[in-house]
Structure formats: C-alpha cells, structure tokens
Amino acid sequence: MTTIDTTAITVELPQAFDERWSRLPGIQVDGRRITIDPAQYFFRFESNTWFVADWELVKSQLLDVEETAESAVEQLALDFIKAHGESTSDAARVLSTAYKVYAYLFRDEHLAGLGLPQITAEHLRMLREAATLMALNKVELDGHISNVGPCWFFPAATSVVFDLDDEMGGMLDEVYHGGWFNEHRRIESIKAHAALGGRLVHGCQSVPDQAGGVVAPYGASMTAFRDDLAAFKAGWIEQVYAHRFSPAA
C-alpha cells in the first residue's frame, strides 16, 4: 500500500447510495453523502490527480456526433479529450462526473434490449454505484496501474455490498461487459467515457477471470497494464471477498 495523501474524499451525489457500501474498508455512506478514507479504501493509491471533461459538453458536443469512414468514434473521443479535458486533484469532481456518465450508460431504457429478464432496474442501480466508485482507479500512460480500489474487482465488490450470489454477480458483470459485445452500447461507452478522460478497458476475458476495469487514457500501454494486473489481482480479490456479510457472524 502506497499513499500520497490520506485526506478524506467526500462527495454528495444526486441519488443516495446503498448503505452496505460501508461493509468495505474505508468507505462510509450517509444517504447521498459518501466519504472515502484513501489509506483504508485503496489497495494501491499512488496518484491523486485524474483527467476529466465537463459532462454537459460531452452531452452537447459528442454524444450525438456520428463517426464517418474518415473519423472513427475513438478518434472523435480522443479529439474531444484533447480539446476539453483537464487534470484535477478534486476526487469529488471525478465521482460526480462518473455518476453522470454511468447514469447515462446504465439507464433503465436499456433493460428491454439486454435479453436478460433476470436483470432489473435495481441491478442497473448497482452497476451505476459500483462503476461510479471505479472511476477513482487509475492507469498511467506507461501502463502502470497507480490506483486500485475494491471496485476494480467488480463481481467481488458487488457480491459483498449487495449480497449477490456468484451466478448473479457474474450476470451483472456480463451487463457491465456488454459495451464490448454490443456495438451500439460500445459506441455509447466510448463517447461517454470521454468525460473521464479515456476509454473503459478490462484485463479480463470474461466473468470467471474477474480482472476488472478502469478508464485508461488513450495511448496507455496495455502490455504493461496486463502484466501489472496479473501480479496483484488474486490476493486483492481474496481480500474483497473476505468482507462478505455472514448472518451468523
């Protein structure tokens, strides 16, 4: 564990989060107010700066722009980030921006098109909350993973917080992964994640691998990212699962 600043991160979001997030070390939820102690919450916390862009600008200038044969959606997002992105050390701003991104990406209207009748609006709320916290994770341009919190390990964290069994936790992760398997959702994801300064990447193959996700800057070394992730993931996943709630405890 490497920390650079142990100042508490506090943010007030538009909707209340599930109070069971407090089962994880270093995070307290009081309605819409979330407080995170970096020293307790993160497995690795080496950077307290992030890259963001204004969500209102993303909505007005990027979401409705169509790619062409000469300009792919990834290039549109990269150009937008270059023009409008800025570095911030305000973690609350990152979380507030992330909440808007994921409120858009996991909106209820997607339920009808998922083809997964067991996934409900409540499950989309779980995705919005977990993905919002995931935004504090960070990958550097050289591929080094500088910040890792419990939400890197998406099924593990959601199983602890929401009492999901392995099957439903894996199903929720498949919805999260859906931006790779469904092109319409992938395009939405690329555009929306410009507000968080990059693109959403995973180190995993599918549910069983559970190698997590992070918004990485365009140009980051995925080879170094893969190698760094492989070195730490197993032990930290085990630590997240250790916080599963047991009624008999």
Side-chain angles (χ1 to χ4, degrees):
M1 175 70 189
T2 301
T3 59
I4 55 171
D5 184 359
T6 56
T7 302
I9 296 166
T10 302
V11 64
E12 206 160 291
L13 296 172
Q15 300 291 328
F17 268 39
D18 195 301
E19 292 186 354
R20 290 173 292 178
W21 281 107
S22 299
R23 292 176 179 177
L24 295 171
I27 180 168
Q28 292 295 320
V29 174
D30 182 13
R32 296 190 298 118
R33 186 181 180 89
I34 299 171
T35 304
I36 294 172
D37 178 350
Q40 293 186 44
Y41 176 76
F42 288 96
F43 294 109
R44 181 188 289 173
F45 188 59
E46 300 172 352
S47 175
N48 64 348
T49 62
W50 295 265
F51 212 65
V52 295
D54 183 77
W55 174 245
E56 294 303 317
L57 276 180
V58 173
K59 286 202 301 182
S60 64
Q61 298 188 21
L62 186 59
L63 291 186
D64 293 330
V65 177
E66 299 292 339
E67 71 175 357
T68 68
E70 291 76 32
S71 183
V73 64
E74 290 86 355
Q75 188 62 51
L76 294 172
L78 179 58
D79 290 345
F80 181 91
I81 291 166
K82 286 181 177 178
H84 302 291
E86 56 183 327
S87 180
T88 181
S89 58
D90 183 356
R93 180 183 176 189
V94 178
L95 291 168
S96 295
T97 301
Y99 184 85
K100 295 170 185 175
V101 169
Y102 293 111
Y104 168 73
L105 288 175
F106 297 121
R107 58 197 187 275
D108 288 357
E109 71 182 66
H110 277 315
L111 284 172
L114 289 176
L116 298 169
Q118 62 272 56
I119 297 295
T120 66
E122 178 68 8
H123 291 115
L124 293 188
R125 182 186 65 81
M126 297 176 190
L127 283 165
R128 289 193 291 269
E129 293 183 10
T132 295
L133 295 170
M134 184 213 69
L136 295 179
N137 296 328
K138 190 179 177 190
V139 174
E140 306 299 328
L141 269 174
D142 65 2
H144 173 68
I145 301 170
S146 49
N147 292 350
V148 183
C151 286
W152 187 290
F153 313 108
F154 205 85
T158 53
S159 74
V160 169
V161 173
F162 301 114
D163 298 313
L164 302 180
D165 60 27
D166 290 342
E167 181 180 359
M168 183 51 75
M171 188 65 66
L172 200 65
D173 202 35
E174 285 297 275
V175 178
Y176 183 49
H177 281 129
W180 283 267
F181 307 139
N182 178 298
E183 185 62 12
H184 176 74
R185 287 186 61 204
R186 189 186 77 87
I187 289 171
E188 275 196 349
S189 176
I190 289 168
K191 292 177 180 178
H193 280 104
L196 296 173
R199 61 184 175 190
L200 186 63
V201 301
H202 270 258
C204 49
Q205 174 71 16
S206 189
V207 172
D209 192 46
Q210 196 174 161
V214 67
V215 180
Y218 285 92
S221 170
M222 288 295 101
T223 300
F225 166 83
R226 178 195 62 198
D227 293 345
D228 196 8
L229 178 58
F232 67 64
K233 71 169 189 173
W236 289 348
I237 290 173
E238 185 177 342
Q239 289 185 51
V240 176
Y241 275 126
H243 295 284
R244 270 182 163 169
F245 179 71
S246 173

